[in-house]
Amino acid sequence: MKVWQCVVCGFIYNEAEGLPSEGIAPGTAWADIPADWACPDCGVAKSDFEMVEI
Amino acid sequence: MKPIVVLGSGLAGYTLVRELRKLNSEIPITVVSKDSGDYYSKPTLSNAFAQNKSPESLVLTPAAAMAAQQQFTLLANTEVRAIHRAERRLDTTAGPIEYDKLVLAIGADPIRIPLQGDADVLSVNDLADYARFRDRLKSAQSVAIMGGGLIGCEFANDLALAGYKVSVIDPGPYPIAGLLPEQAGRQLLEPLQNMGVSWHFGNAAQVVHASGQSFQLTLTDQTIVSADVVLSAVGLRPRIQLAKEAGLSVNRGISVDEKLQSSDQAIFALGDCAEINGQTMPYVLPIMHAARALAKTLNGQEAAVAFPYMPVVVKTPAHPIAVLPVPRDAAGSWEVLEQGQGVKMGFFNPQKEMIGFALTGEYAKERSEMTARCKAKS
């Protein structure tokens, strides 16, 4: 399980925790998140920003 | 080989550097910044307080690491005094710098409303401002915010969440009136009121008097608001002075075309300082798109920026909002599509096509779906 960070706003996505409030189950890999998903903090689309492994 | 010189280390300047490095690892890049050059995300400044974030913890990548990762020369704490276009040379506090191409990503200044009295008004436009603001809040219990627009409301929500007594003063009729239709903007009133925010619309602060450690603001309707800290969030003015003095064409911002090119072929502008074909777009998404297009152009594959529909998210967790703003002069009207814990509104042009929307409360999460609906019809 990895942790990713939005380079635009610093939002952290933890694969182990998922994002239940956004309908993303715990354990969801970053690669499995739909391309039209947008960062809940800054609104940048998944395809529109890089996530860096931290 | 003379470098591409980027003035500014904010979201615009650094996103451009990152995008350019993806395309070209060789081209020399110099970044000139008037501050430390640490990379942080400006949008987080208006919702960092309630999370008790220190200014240091908002730095995503320190300047030195940024310069090493992206392979550029950094001139930090350096002011640019003049652009000598004929010689492609900058006159800076760190000496002269020659450029092959110059990118102005110098941002915007907070607009300040003139006030009578002993105003000690803060604004939060960069990380150093945030540090000062946070310091002043330590001994404060109440904050008066001048400006009930997007940033003013984000701060109001954040500070109320942190337990401050917040007053918002705005000459307009309702919250975020610049972006939202009235029915959507009004949705914010009650949720924030329930957190202790008091609203003063149709009102402006006229006089500020210091009384002990706090301030008394007299509004146009003679209401007195007391606050320990006064924050101004009434908008931004693009920084055009440097460009103007260099004889570049400027309007509200530095005038550029869809290639982000100014009236000088070797000089480009993007971010909050730029006016792209007559439009200033001081939001994250337009900056990302503009940076990507400009990176291509600077790499020799001339590219025009094409903006898709770009919704703006308002960080008011008490009542979340997403809006796809419509141009001020757009023909058409707002219609309520659904109403529950919030409101879902669409803006329809005379052909009955939806070209904008405002989603509040429970509907805010339908942002992607609504953007897709607008796309499908365009």
Side-chain angles (χ1 to χ4, degrees):
Chain A
M1 292 284 106
K2 289 173 183 163
V3 177
W4 306 76
Q5 185 174 34
C6 169
V7 295
V8 172
C9 72
F11 173 80
I12 302 271
Y13 176 74
N14 187 327
E15 294 184 345
E17 291 169 11
L19 210 57
S21 61
E22 296 263 311
I24 298 172
T28 304
W30 177 243
D32 294 334
I33 289 176
D36 65 354
W37 183 81
C39 173
D41 275 14
C42 68
V44 172
K46 183 190 178 193
S47 57
D48 251 338
F49 66 89
E50 309 151 58
M51 295 290 275
V52 289
E53 211 174 321
I54 58 169
Chain B
M1 193 178 169
K2 287 181 198 167
I4 289 175
V5 176
V6 180
L7 301 191
S9 59
L11 197 59
Y14 274 160
T15 302
L16 171 71
V17 169
R18 222 185 260 122
E19 291 296 325
L20 184 55
R21 272 291 172 253
K22 283 187 200 164
L23 305 174
N24 190 320
S25 55
E26 303 292 316
I27 201 164
I29 303 174
T30 298
V31 174
V32 183
S33 178
K34 75 174 173 60
D35 61 33
S36 66
D38 288 341
Y39 175 64
Y40 68 98
S41 170
K42 189 175 170 189
T44 56
L45 297 182
S46 50
N47 69 338
F49 196 79
Q51 297 168 54
N52 198 22
K53 285 202 176 151
S54 68
E56 298 74 31
S57 72
L58 289 178
V59 173
L60 295 174
T61 317
M66 231 16 233
Q69 274 169 23
Q70 304 295 335
Q71 294 292 302
F72 60 83
T73 305
L74 174 68
L75 290 167
N77 306 307
T78 301
E79 298 265 1
V80 176
R81 294 199 194 99
I83 305 169
H84 301 289
R85 296 200 283 134
E87 300 87 40
R88 295 198 186 190
R89 181 167 49 79
L90 302 174
D91 177 14
T92 81
T93 49
I97 302 167
E98 295 194 317
Y99 63 84
D100 176 42
K101 298 279 193 310
L102 177 65
V103 178
L104 304 172
I106 50 183
D109 286 313
I111 294 172
R112 299 300 284 263
I113 294 168
L115 281 172
Q116 300 169 47
D118 352 79
D120 177 16
V121 179
L122 301 176
S123 42
V124 178
N125 194 40
D126 59 32
L127 196 54
D129 289 342
Y130 174 75
R132 261 189 300 277
F133 180 57
R134 197 165 179 269
D135 197 52
R136 287 283 298 280
L137 284 174
K138 275 181 196 156
S139 55
Q141 266 131 40
S142 54
V143 183
I145 301 175
M146 296 198 291
L150 185 149
I151 298 292
C153 288
E154 289 187 350
F155 271 114
N157 195 150
D158 198 47
L159 293 168
L161 203 58
Y164 291 87
K165 185 180 162 292
V166 178
S167 307
V168 177
I169 304 149
D170 191 296
Y174 60 89
I176 322 185
L179 292 177
L180 294 174
E182 182 154 0
Q183 210 172 335
R186 289 196 175 277
Q187 301 292 319
L188 209 49
L189 294 172
E190 208 184 294
L192 286 192
Q193 221 159 347
N194 293 342
M195 296 174 77
V197 172
S198 55
W199 300 104
H200 302 272
F201 283 99
N203 240 314
Q206 279 191 317
V207 191
V208 180
H209 283 302
S211 77
Q213 291 299 328
S214 74
F215 298 94
Q216 290 219 318
L217 292 83
T218 309
L219 311 189
T220 28
D221 71 352
Q222 301 306 309
T223 306
I224 308 270
V225 171
S226 356
D228 301 329
V229 172
V230 183
L231 176 71
S232 174
V234 296
L236 292 172
R237 181 178 289 127
R239 292 184 176 131
I240 59 170
Q241 199 56 27
L242 185 66
K244 199 175 168 182
E245 284 166 9
L248 294 174
S249 151
V250 296
N251 186 29
R252 201 176 118 69
I254 301 167
S255 305
V256 296
D257 62 11
E258 62 285 350
K259 286 179 304 203
L260 293 316
Q261 195 166 44
S262 73
S263 52
D264 180 322
Q265 285 197 353
I267 303 179
F268 301 81
L270 86 161
D272 293 3
C273 68
E275 181 177 315
I276 305 168
N277 285 335
Q279 287 245 52
T280 53
M281 293 185 274
Y283 304 106
V284 171
L285 277 172
I287 291 174
M288 304 297 286
H289 285 278
R292 212 162 285 149
L294 182 52
K296 280 189 194 146
T297 298
L298 294 175
N299 191 40
Q301 315 138 254
E302 210 166 81
V305 59
F307 293 112
Y309 282 117
M310 296 175 292
V312 175
V313 174
V314 185
K315 298 190 296 296
T316 44
H319 192 80
I321 295 176
V323 55
L324 179 61
V326 286
R328 245 170 251 276
D329 53 0
S333 59
W334 286 100
E335 284 170 32
V336 176
L337 304 172
E338 267 179 68
Q339 207 164 0
Q341 297 300 318
V343 68
K344 173 171 166 180
M345 297 178 72
F347 187 90
F348 295 86
N349 67 13
Q351 292 78 45
K352 297 284 164 210
E353 294 159 337
M354 187 166 67
I355 58 165
F357 59 76
L359 308 170
T360 87
E362 63 169 311
Y363 303 106
K365 58 181 189 296
E366 296 179 30
R367 180 183 72 221
S368 306
E369 187 193 320
M370 289 289 276
T371 308
R373 271 178 70 181
C374 288
K375 268 182 195 153
K377 284 182 183 161
S378 69

